[in-house]
mmCIF file of all heavy atoms in Angstrom:
data_model
loop_
_atom_site.group_PDB
_atom_site.id
_atom_site.type_symbol
_atom_site.label_atom_id
_atom_site.label_comp_id
_atom_site.label_asym_id
_atom_site.label_seq_id
_atom_site.Cartn_x
_atom_site.Cartn_y
_atom_site.Cartn_z
ATOM 1 N N THR A 243 -14.740 19.809 10.311
ATOM 2 C CA THR A 243 -14.685 21.097 9.588
ATOM 3 C C THR A 243 -15.984 21.290 8.847
ATOM 4 O O THR A 243 -16.897 20.430 8.917
ATOM 5 C CB THR A 243 -13.527 21.096 8.574
ATOM 6 O OG1 THR A 243 -13.869 20.271 7.460
ATOM 7 C CG2 THR A 243 -12.210 20.588 9.209
ATOM 8 N N GLU A 244 -16.060 22.350 8.078
ATOM 9 C CA GLU A 244 -17.284 22.611 7.322
ATOM 10 C C GLU A 244 -17.491 21.534 6.252
ATOM 11 O O GLU A 244 -18.595 21.374 5.718
ATOM 12 C CB GLU A 244 -17.191 23.984 6.656
ATOM 13 C CG GLU A 244 -16.015 24.140 5.721
ATOM 14 C CD GLU A 244 -15.946 25.541 5.103
ATOM 15 O OE1 GLU A 244 -17.010 26.132 4.939
ATOM 16 O OE2 GLU A 244 -14.851 25.983 4.773
ATOM 17 N N HIS A 245 -16.407 20.810 5.925
ATOM 18 C CA HIS A 245 -16.506 19.743 4.899
ATOM 19 C C HIS A 245 -16.843 18.387 5.520
ATOM 20 O O HIS A 245 -17.133 17.451 4.758
ATOM 21 C CB HIS A 245 -15.181 19.638 4.152
ATOM 22 C CG HIS A 245 -14.761 20.913 3.515
ATOM 23 N ND1 HIS A 245 -15.444 21.487 2.460
ATOM 24 C CD2 HIS A 245 -13.697 21.736 3.772
ATOM 25 C CE1 HIS A 245 -14.842 22.623 2.105
ATOM 26 N NE2 HIS A 245 -13.808 22.802 2.875
ATOM 27 N N GLY A 246 -16.771 18.275 6.813
ATOM 28 C CA GLY A 246 -17.011 16.969 7.463
ATOM 29 C C GLY A 246 -15.864 16.552 8.342
ATOM 30 O O GLY A 246 -14.989 17.373 8.713
ATOM 31 N N LEU A 247 -15.834 15.282 8.685
ATOM 32 C CA LEU A 247 -14.744 14.710 9.489
ATOM 33 C C LEU A 247 -13.569 14.352 8.598
ATOM 34 O O LEU A 247 -13.739 13.541 7.671
ATOM 35 C CB LEU A 247 -15.231 13.507 10.277
ATOM 36 C CG LEU A 247 -16.301 13.748 11.314
ATOM 37 C CD1 LEU A 247 -16.784 12.395 11.910
ATOM 38 C CD2 LEU A 247 -15.790 14.633 12.451
ATOM 39 N N PRO A 248 -12.364 14.895 8.841
ATOM 40 C CA PRO A 248 -11.244 14.614 7.927
ATOM 41 C C PRO A 248 -10.526 13.328 8.290
ATOM 42 O O PRO A 248 -10.432 12.937 9.444
ATOM 43 C CB PRO A 248 -10.340 15.832 8.191
ATOM 44 C CG PRO A 248 -10.597 16.198 9.616
ATOM 45 C CD PRO A 248 -12.032 15.866 9.878
ATOM 46 N N ALA A 249 -9.960 12.690 7.284
ATOM 47 C CA ALA A 249 -9.026 11.570 7.441
ATOM 48 C C ALA A 249 -7.853 11.869 6.549
ATOM 49 O O ALA A 249 -7.985 11.919 5.313
ATOM 50 C CB ALA A 249 -9.673 10.260 7.084
ATOM 51 N N SER A 250 -6.694 12.102 7.149
ATOM 52 C CA SER A 250 -5.496 12.489 6.401
ATOM 53 C C SER A 250 -4.663 11.280 6.034
ATOM 54 O O SER A 250 -4.553 10.301 6.809
ATOM 55 C CB SER A 250 -4.651 13.459 7.252
ATOM 56 O OG SER A 250 -5.385 14.627 7.589
ATOM 57 N N TRP A 251 -4.059 11.379 4.848
ATOM 58 C CA TRP A 251 -3.189 10.313 4.359
ATOM 59 C C TRP A 251 -1.927 10.940 3.840
ATOM 60 O O TRP A 251 -1.945 11.909 3.054
ATOM 61 C CB TRP A 251 -3.848 9.514 3.235
ATOM 62 C CG TRP A 251 -5.133 8.856 3.654
ATOM 63 C CD1 TRP A 251 -6.386 9.381 3.574
ATOM 64 C CD2 TRP A 251 -5.270 7.530 4.156
ATOM 65 N NE1 TRP A 251 -7.320 8.464 4.057
ATOM 66 C CE2 TRP A 251 -6.651 7.319 4.420
ATOM 67 C CE3 TRP A 251 -4.380 6.504 4.468
ATOM 68 C CZ2 TRP A 251 -7.146 6.120 4.932
ATOM 69 C CZ3 TRP A 251 -4.866 5.338 4.975
ATOM 70 C CH2 TRP A 251 -6.221 5.126 5.215
ATOM 71 N N GLN A 252 -0.768 10.431 4.251
ATOM 72 C CA GLN A 252 0.523 10.856 3.733
ATOM 73 C C GLN A 252 1.052 9.736 2.848
ATOM 74 O O GLN A 252 1.252 8.616 3.311
ATOM 75 C CB GLN A 252 1.521 11.131 4.882
ATOM 76 C CG GLN A 252 1.043 12.178 5.880
ATOM 77 C CD GLN A 252 1.152 13.590 5.317
ATOM 78 O OE1 GLN A 252 1.833 13.824 4.320
ATOM 79 N NE2 GLN A 252 0.446 14.527 5.942
ATOM 80 N N VAL A 253 1.277 10.041 1.575
ATOM 81 C CA VAL A 253 1.651 9.036 0.604
ATOM 82 C C VAL A 253 2.984 9.380 -0.039
ATOM 83 O O VAL A 253 3.100 10.459 -0.616
ATOM 84 C CB VAL A 253 0.571 8.885 -0.496
ATOM 85 C CG1 VAL A 253 0.936 7.775 -1.484
ATOM 86 C CG2 VAL A 253 -0.803 8.601 0.122
ATOM 87 N N ALA A 254 3.947 8.493 0.074
ATOM 88 C CA ALA A 254 5.237 8.674 -0.597
ATOM 89 C C ALA A 254 5.143 8.033 -1.986
ATOM 90 O O ALA A 254 4.785 6.866 -2.101
ATOM 91 C CB ALA A 254 6.355 8.019 0.214
ATOM 92 N N GLN A 255 5.465 8.806 -3.012
ATOM 93 C CA GLN A 255 5.489 8.303 -4.386
ATOM 94 C C GLN A 255 6.948 8.188 -4.796
ATOM 95 O O GLN A 255 7.688 9.159 -4.850
ATOM 96 C CB GLN A 255 4.788 9.325 -5.321
ATOM 97 C CG GLN A 255 3.316 9.573 -4.974
ATOM 98 C CD GLN A 255 2.401 8.502 -5.582
ATOM 99 O OE1 GLN A 255 2.835 7.416 -5.976
ATOM 100 N NE2 GLN A 255 1.099 8.810 -5.676
ATOM 101 N N VAL A 256 7.380 6.951 -5.096
ATOM 102 C CA VAL A 256 8.791 6.650 -5.305
ATOM 103 C C VAL A 256 8.994 6.053 -6.680
ATOM 104 O O VAL A 256 8.302 5.123 -7.078
ATOM 105 C CB VAL A 256 9.317 5.668 -4.222
ATOM 106 C CG1 VAL A 256 10.793 5.396 -4.442
ATOM 107 C CG2 VAL A 256 9.076 6.216 -2.836
ATOM 108 N N VAL A 257 9.940 6.567 -7.412
ATOM 109 C CA VAL A 257 10.370 5.991 -8.702
ATOM 110 C C VAL A 257 11.881 5.776 -8.665
ATOM 111 O O VAL A 257 12.623 6.731 -8.431
ATOM 112 C CB VAL A 257 9.980 6.923 -9.894
ATOM 113 C CG1 VAL A 257 10.477 6.289 -11.202
ATOM 114 C CG2 VAL A 257 8.475 7.127 -9.953
ATOM 115 N N MET A 258 12.313 4.537 -8.883
ATOM 116 C CA MET A 258 13.712 4.159 -8.753
ATOM 117 C C MET A 258 14.157 3.413 -10.022
ATOM 118 O O MET A 258 13.439 2.542 -10.483
ATOM 119 C CB MET A 258 13.924 3.253 -7.532
ATOM 120 C CG MET A 258 13.246 3.713 -6.277
ATOM 121 S SD MET A 258 13.530 2.595 -4.862
ATOM 122 C CE MET A 258 15.211 3.067 -4.370
ATOM 123 N N PHE A 259 15.305 3.718 -10.516
ATOM 124 C CA PHE A 259 15.876 3.024 -11.672
ATOM 125 C C PHE A 259 17.126 2.293 -11.320
ATOM 126 O O PHE A 259 17.994 2.821 -10.594
ATOM 127 C CB PHE A 259 16.164 4.036 -12.817
ATOM 128 C CG PHE A 259 14.937 4.408 -13.612
ATOM 129 C CD1 PHE A 259 14.189 5.515 -13.175
ATOM 130 C CD2 PHE A 259 14.512 3.699 -14.694
ATOM 131 C CE1 PHE A 259 13.040 5.881 -13.891
ATOM 132 C CE2 PHE A 259 13.390 4.031 -15.389
ATOM 133 C CZ PHE A 259 12.644 5.135 -14.998
ATOM 134 N N LYS A 260 17.234 1.043 -11.769
ATOM 135 C CA LYS A 260 18.382 0.221 -11.514
ATOM 136 C C LYS A 260 19.462 0.590 -12.549
ATOM 137 O O LYS A 260 19.349 0.241 -13.718
ATOM 138 C CB LYS A 260 18.033 -1.257 -11.635
ATOM 139 C CG LYS A 260 19.166 -2.217 -11.397
ATOM 140 C CD LYS A 260 18.670 -3.669 -11.476
ATOM 141 C CE LYS A 260 19.799 -4.648 -11.294
ATOM 142 N NZ LYS A 260 19.347 -6.055 -11.305
ATOM 143 N N GLN A 261 20.468 1.262 -12.074
ATOM 144 C CA GLN A 261 21.533 1.716 -12.969
ATOM 145 C C GLN A 261 22.452 0.556 -13.346
ATOM 146 O O GLN A 261 22.860 -0.197 -12.483
ATOM 147 C CB GLN A 261 22.313 2.825 -12.339
ATOM 148 C CG GLN A 261 21.513 4.119 -12.146
ATOM 149 C CD GLN A 261 22.363 5.248 -11.593
ATOM 150 O OE1 GLN A 261 23.451 5.024 -11.054
ATOM 151 N NE2 GLN A 261 21.884 6.469 -11.720
ATOM 152 N N PRO A 262 22.751 0.398 -14.632
ATOM 153 C CA PRO A 262 23.702 -0.665 -15.051
ATOM 154 C C PRO A 262 25.033 -0.526 -14.342
ATOM 155 O O PRO A 262 25.535 0.592 -14.136
ATOM 156 C CB PRO A 262 23.818 -0.410 -16.558
ATOM 157 C CG PRO A 262 22.577 0.345 -16.947
ATOM 158 C CD PRO A 262 22.232 1.193 -15.767
ATOM 159 N N GLY A 263 25.565 -1.675 -13.940
ATOM 160 C CA GLY A 263 26.890 -1.677 -13.340
ATOM 161 C C GLY A 263 26.936 -1.491 -11.844
ATOM 162 O O GLY A 263 27.949 -1.711 -11.191
#
Side-chain angles (χ1 to χ4, degrees):
T243 74
E244 60 180 331
H245 304 293
L247 295 174
S250 300
W251 300 89
Q252 301 286 343
V253 183
Q255 300 276 18
V256 181
V257 177
M258 314 180 78
F259 281 89
K260 180 177 178 178
Q261 293 184 343

